PDB file of all heavy atoms in Angstrom:
ATOM      1  N   SER D   1       6.713  -6.234  -5.420  1.00  0.00           N
ATOM      2  CA  SER D   1       7.164  -6.416  -4.042  1.00  0.00           C
ATOM      3  C   SER D   1       6.499  -5.353  -3.176  1.00  0.00           C
ATOM      4  O   SER D   1       5.988  -4.342  -3.686  1.00  0.00           O
ATOM      5  CB  SER D   1       8.683  -6.276  -3.958  1.00  0.00           C
ATOM      6  OG  SER D   1       9.073  -4.939  -4.269  1.00  0.00           O
ATOM      7  N   LEU D   2       6.514  -5.543  -1.866  1.00  0.00           N
ATOM      8  CA  LEU D   2       5.902  -4.553  -0.978  1.00  0.00           C
ATOM      9  C   LEU D   2       6.651  -3.226  -1.065  1.00  0.00           C
ATOM     10  O   LEU D   2       6.028  -2.159  -1.110  1.00  0.00           O
ATOM     11  CB  LEU D   2       5.897  -5.075   0.461  1.00  0.00           C
ATOM     12  CG  LEU D   2       5.323  -4.120   1.513  1.00  0.00           C
ATOM     13  CD1 LEU D   2       3.908  -3.687   1.156  1.00  0.00           C
ATOM     14  CD2 LEU D   2       5.350  -4.764   2.898  1.00  0.00           C
ATOM     15  N   HIS D   3       7.977  -3.292  -1.095  1.00  0.00           N
ATOM     16  CA  HIS D   3       8.764  -2.061  -1.197  1.00  0.00           C
ATOM     17  C   HIS D   3       8.415  -1.308  -2.482  1.00  0.00           C
ATOM     18  O   HIS D   3       8.196  -0.090  -2.458  1.00  0.00           O
ATOM     19  CB  HIS D   3      10.256  -2.404  -1.179  1.00  0.00           C
ATOM     20  CG  HIS D   3      11.160  -1.219  -1.319  1.00  0.00           C
ATOM     21  ND1 HIS D   3      11.283  -0.244  -0.346  1.00  0.00           N
ATOM     22  CD2 HIS D   3      11.978  -0.828  -2.346  1.00  0.00           C
ATOM     23  CE1 HIS D   3      12.140   0.685  -0.753  1.00  0.00           C
ATOM     24  NE2 HIS D   3      12.569   0.354  -1.960  1.00  0.00           N
ATOM     25  N   GLY D   4       8.326  -2.027  -3.590  1.00  0.00           N
ATOM     26  CA  GLY D   4       7.985  -1.391  -4.854  1.00  0.00           C
ATOM     27  C   GLY D   4       6.579  -0.829  -4.856  1.00  0.00           C
ATOM     28  O   GLY D   4       6.329   0.253  -5.406  1.00  0.00           O
ATOM     29  N   ALA D   5       5.648  -1.561  -4.242  1.00  0.00           N
ATOM     30  CA  ALA D   5       4.260  -1.099  -4.192  1.00  0.00           C
ATOM     31  C   ALA D   5       4.134   0.189  -3.377  1.00  0.00           C
ATOM     32  O   ALA D   5       3.402   1.115  -3.751  1.00  0.00           O
ATOM     33  CB  ALA D   5       3.371  -2.188  -3.595  1.00  0.00           C
ATOM     34  N   LEU D   6       4.854   0.272  -2.256  1.00  0.00           N
ATOM     35  CA  LEU D   6       4.800   1.471  -1.421  1.00  0.00           C
ATOM     36  C   LEU D   6       5.447   2.661  -2.123  1.00  0.00           C
ATOM     37  O   LEU D   6       4.962   3.793  -2.024  1.00  0.00           O
ATOM     38  CB  LEU D   6       5.480   1.204  -0.078  1.00  0.00           C
ATOM     39  CG  LEU D   6       4.785   0.171   0.827  1.00  0.00           C
ATOM     40  CD1 LEU D   6       5.610  -0.088   2.079  1.00  0.00           C
ATOM     41  CD2 LEU D   6       3.379   0.623   1.201  1.00  0.00           C
ATOM     42  N   LEU D   7       6.535   2.409  -2.848  1.00  0.00           N
ATOM     43  CA  LEU D   7       7.156   3.481  -3.631  1.00  0.00           C
ATOM     44  C   LEU D   7       6.200   4.000  -4.699  1.00  0.00           C
ATOM     45  O   LEU D   7       6.103   5.217  -4.940  1.00  0.00           O
ATOM     46  CB  LEU D   7       8.444   2.981  -4.281  1.00  0.00           C
ATOM     47  CG  LEU D   7       9.668   2.801  -3.379  1.00  0.00           C
ATOM     48  CD1 LEU D   7      10.829   2.254  -4.175  1.00  0.00           C
ATOM     49  CD2 LEU D   7      10.052   4.134  -2.719  1.00  0.00           C
ATOM     50  N   ALA D   8       5.480   3.075  -5.344  1.00  0.00           N
ATOM     51  CA  ALA D   8       4.510   3.468  -6.367  1.00  0.00           C
ATOM     52  C   ALA D   8       3.374   4.280  -5.756  1.00  0.00           C
ATOM     53  O   ALA D   8       2.887   5.243  -6.358  1.00  0.00           O
ATOM     54  CB  ALA D   8       3.960   2.224  -7.066  1.00  0.00           C
ATOM     55  N   ALA D   9       2.954   3.898  -4.550  1.00  0.00           N
ATOM     56  CA  ALA D   9       1.886   4.638  -3.870  1.00  0.00           C
ATOM     57  C   ALA D   9       2.343   6.057  -3.537  1.00  0.00           C
ATOM     58  O   ALA D   9       1.585   7.024  -3.687  1.00  0.00           O
ATOM     59  CB  ALA D   9       1.472   3.902  -2.599  1.00  0.00           C
ATOM     60  N   LYS D  10       3.578   6.193  -3.101  1.00  0.00           N
ATOM     61  CA  LYS D  10       4.121   7.530  -2.829  1.00  0.00           C
ATOM     62  C   LYS D  10       4.192   8.354  -4.105  1.00  0.00           C
ATOM     63  O   LYS D  10       3.815   9.529  -4.132  1.00  0.00           O
ATOM     64  CB  LYS D  10       5.523   7.406  -2.221  1.00  0.00           C
ATOM     65  CG  LYS D  10       5.568   6.877  -0.806  1.00  0.00           C
ATOM     66  CD  LYS D  10       7.007   6.837  -0.309  1.00  0.00           C
ATOM     67  CE  LYS D  10       7.114   6.229   1.072  1.00  0.00           C
ATOM     68  NZ  LYS D  10       8.525   6.188   1.569  1.00  0.00           N
ATOM     69  N   ALA D  11       4.699   7.725  -5.169  1.00  0.00           N
ATOM     70  CA  ALA D  11       4.834   8.429  -6.445  1.00  0.00           C
ATOM     71  C   ALA D  11       3.486   8.871  -6.984  1.00  0.00           C
ATOM     72  O   ALA D  11       3.384   9.897  -7.683  1.00  0.00           O
ATOM     73  CB  ALA D  11       5.543   7.533  -7.462  1.00  0.00           C
ATOM     74  N   ALA D  12       2.440   8.114  -6.670  1.00  0.00           N
ATOM     75  CA  ALA D  12       1.095   8.461  -7.132  1.00  0.00           C
ATOM     76  C   ALA D  12       0.472   9.567  -6.293  1.00  0.00           C
ATOM     77  O   ALA D  12      -0.635  10.026  -6.590  1.00  0.00           O
ATOM     78  CB  ALA D  12       0.204   7.222  -7.109  1.00  0.00           C
ATOM     79  N   GLY D  13       1.161   9.983  -5.229  1.00  0.00           N
ATOM     80  CA  GLY D  13       0.678  11.092  -4.409  1.00  0.00           C
ATOM     81  C   GLY D  13      -0.229  10.704  -3.264  1.00  0.00           C
ATOM     82  O   GLY D  13      -0.887  11.576  -2.672  1.00  0.00           O
ATOM     83  N   HIS D  14      -0.272   9.429  -2.917  1.00  0.00           N
ATOM     84  CA  HIS D  14      -1.131   8.993  -1.818  1.00  0.00           C
ATOM     85  C   HIS D  14      -0.495   9.332  -0.473  1.00  0.00           C
ATOM     86  O   HIS D  14       0.729   9.263  -0.314  1.00  0.00           O
ATOM     87  CB  HIS D  14      -1.393   7.494  -1.898  1.00  0.00           C
ATOM     88  CG  HIS D  14      -2.076   7.067  -3.162  1.00  0.00           C
ATOM     89  ND1 HIS D  14      -3.294   7.587  -3.551  1.00  0.00           N
ATOM     90  CD2 HIS D  14      -1.722   6.171  -4.121  1.00  0.00           C
ATOM     91  CE1 HIS D  14      -3.662   7.039  -4.696  1.00  0.00           C
ATOM     92  NE2 HIS D  14      -2.724   6.181  -5.070  1.00  0.00           N
ATOM     93  N   ASP D  15      -1.334   9.672   0.497  1.00  0.00           N
ATOM     94  CA  ASP D  15      -0.856  10.016   1.832  1.00  0.00           C
ATOM     95  C   ASP D  15      -0.847   8.807   2.771  1.00  0.00           C
ATOM     96  O   ASP D  15      -0.162   8.825   3.792  1.00  0.00           O
ATOM     97  CB  ASP D  15      -1.744  11.097   2.456  1.00  0.00           C
ATOM     98  CG  ASP D  15      -1.699  12.399   1.675  1.00  0.00           C
ATOM     99  OD1 ASP D  15      -0.605  12.750   1.183  1.00  0.00           O
ATOM    100  OD2 ASP D  15      -2.747  13.046   1.546  1.00  0.00           O
ATOM    101  N   TYR D  16      -1.627   7.806   2.444  1.00  0.00           N
ATOM    102  CA  TYR D  16      -1.704   6.637   3.315  1.00  0.00           C
ATOM    103  C   TYR D  16      -2.115   5.415   2.504  1.00  0.00           C
ATOM    104  O   TYR D  16      -2.592   5.530   1.366  1.00  0.00           O
ATOM    105  CB  TYR D  16      -2.710   6.862   4.450  1.00  0.00           C
ATOM    106  CG  TYR D  16      -4.145   6.981   3.995  1.00  0.00           C
ATOM    107  CD1 TYR D  16      -4.976   5.864   3.940  1.00  0.00           C
ATOM    108  CD2 TYR D  16      -4.680   8.215   3.610  1.00  0.00           C
ATOM    109  CE1 TYR D  16      -6.296   5.963   3.515  1.00  0.00           C
ATOM    110  CE2 TYR D  16      -5.989   8.332   3.192  1.00  0.00           C
ATOM    111  CZ  TYR D  16      -6.791   7.201   3.144  1.00  0.00           C
ATOM    112  OH  TYR D  16      -8.092   7.299   2.713  1.00  0.00           O
ATOM    113  N   VAL D  17      -1.906   4.255   3.086  1.00  0.00           N
ATOM    114  CA  VAL D  17      -2.379   2.992   2.522  1.00  0.00           C
ATOM    115  C   VAL D  17      -3.142   2.247   3.618  1.00  0.00           C
ATOM    116  O   VAL D  17      -3.041   2.586   4.796  1.00  0.00           O
ATOM    117  CB  VAL D  17      -1.218   2.113   2.001  1.00  0.00           C
ATOM    118  CG1 VAL D  17      -0.549   2.756   0.803  1.00  0.00           C
ATOM    119  CG2 VAL D  17      -0.208   1.820   3.104  1.00  0.00           C
ATOM    120  N   ASN D  18      -3.904   1.269   3.205  1.00  0.00           N
ATOM    121  CA  ASN D  18      -4.640   0.422   4.146  1.00  0.00           C
ATOM    122  C   ASN D  18      -4.083  -0.988   4.106  1.00  0.00           C
ATOM    123  O   ASN D  18      -3.638  -1.456   3.053  1.00  0.00           O
ATOM    124  CB  ASN D  18      -6.130   0.363   3.779  1.00  0.00           C
ATOM    125  CG  ASN D  18      -6.793   1.715   3.835  1.00  0.00           C
ATOM    126  OD1 ASN D  18      -7.154   2.215   4.889  1.00  0.00           O
ATOM    127  ND2 ASN D  18      -6.961   2.340   2.671  1.00  0.00           N
ATOM    128  N   ILE D  19      -4.119  -1.658   5.228  1.00  0.00           N
ATOM    129  CA  ILE D  19      -3.751  -3.075   5.264  1.00  0.00           C
ATOM    130  C   ILE D  19      -4.884  -3.849   5.930  1.00  0.00           C
ATOM    131  O   ILE D  19      -5.481  -3.392   6.909  1.00  0.00           O
ATOM    132  CB  ILE D  19      -2.418  -3.304   6.013  1.00  0.00           C
ATOM    133  CG1 ILE D  19      -1.990  -4.781   5.876  1.00  0.00           C
ATOM    134  CG2 ILE D  19      -2.501  -2.875   7.466  1.00  0.00           C
ATOM    135  CD1 ILE D  19      -0.590  -5.055   6.363  1.00  0.00           C
ATOM    136  N   ASP D  20      -5.203  -4.985   5.364  1.00  0.00           N
ATOM    137  CA  ASP D  20      -6.285  -5.802   5.908  1.00  0.00           C
ATOM    138  C   ASP D  20      -6.048  -7.246   5.504  1.00  0.00           C
ATOM    139  O   ASP D  20      -5.468  -7.523   4.448  1.00  0.00           O
ATOM    140  CB  ASP D  20      -7.644  -5.325   5.371  1.00  0.00           C
ATOM    141  CG  ASP D  20      -8.807  -5.907   6.166  1.00  0.00           C
ATOM    142  OD1 ASP D  20      -8.596  -6.309   7.327  1.00  0.00           O
ATOM    143  OD2 ASP D  20      -9.926  -5.970   5.627  1.00  0.00           O
ATOM    144  N   GLY D  21      -6.479  -8.151   6.344  1.00  0.00           N
ATOM    145  CA  GLY D  21      -6.339  -9.568   6.041  1.00  0.00           C
ATOM    146  C   GLY D  21      -7.560 -10.099   5.311  1.00  0.00           C
ATOM    147  O   GLY D  21      -8.687  -9.683   5.577  1.00  0.00           O
ATOM    148  N   ILE D  22      -7.315 -10.983   4.374  1.00  0.00           N
ATOM    149  CA  ILE D  22      -8.402 -11.635   3.652  1.00  0.00           C
ATOM    150  C   ILE D  22      -8.281 -13.136   3.870  1.00  0.00           C
ATOM    151  O   ILE D  22      -7.176 -13.684   3.838  1.00  0.00           O
ATOM    152  CB  ILE D  22      -8.342 -11.294   2.140  1.00  0.00           C
ATOM    153  CG1 ILE D  22      -9.490 -11.952   1.374  1.00  0.00           C
ATOM    154  CG2 ILE D  22      -7.013 -11.688   1.535  1.00  0.00           C
ATOM    155  CD1 ILE D  22      -9.531 -11.549  -0.096  1.00  0.00           C
ATOM    156  N   LEU D  23      -9.395 -13.791   4.142  1.00  0.00           N
ATOM    157  CA  LEU D  23      -9.383 -15.244   4.293  1.00  0.00           C
ATOM    158  C   LEU D  23      -9.812 -15.866   2.976  1.00  0.00           C
ATOM    159  O   LEU D  23     -10.937 -15.673   2.526  1.00  0.00           O
ATOM    160  CB  LEU D  23     -10.319 -15.707   5.410  1.00  0.00           C
ATOM    161  CG  LEU D  23     -10.202 -17.214   5.686  1.00  0.00           C
ATOM    162  CD1 LEU D  23      -9.052 -17.488   6.658  1.00  0.00           C
ATOM    163  CD2 LEU D  23     -11.488 -17.803   6.232  1.00  0.00           C
ATOM    164  N   VAL D  24      -8.910 -16.604   2.358  1.00  0.00           N
ATOM    165  CA  VAL D  24      -9.226 -17.344   1.137  1.00  0.00           C
ATOM    166  C   VAL D  24      -9.550 -18.774   1.569  1.00  0.00           C
ATOM    167  O   VAL D  24      -8.683 -19.495   2.049  1.00  0.00           O
ATOM    168  CB  VAL D  24      -8.048 -17.327   0.149  1.00  0.00           C
ATOM    169  CG1 VAL D  24      -8.391 -18.126  -1.100  1.00  0.00           C
ATOM    170  CG2 VAL D  24      -7.693 -15.890  -0.221  1.00  0.00           C
TER     171      VAL D  24
END
């Protein structure tokens, strides 16, 4: 889930994430 992914990113010590759209 997005909430879980962001928690994992914090736990991994990341300061920021990127968001971008992909056209499939």
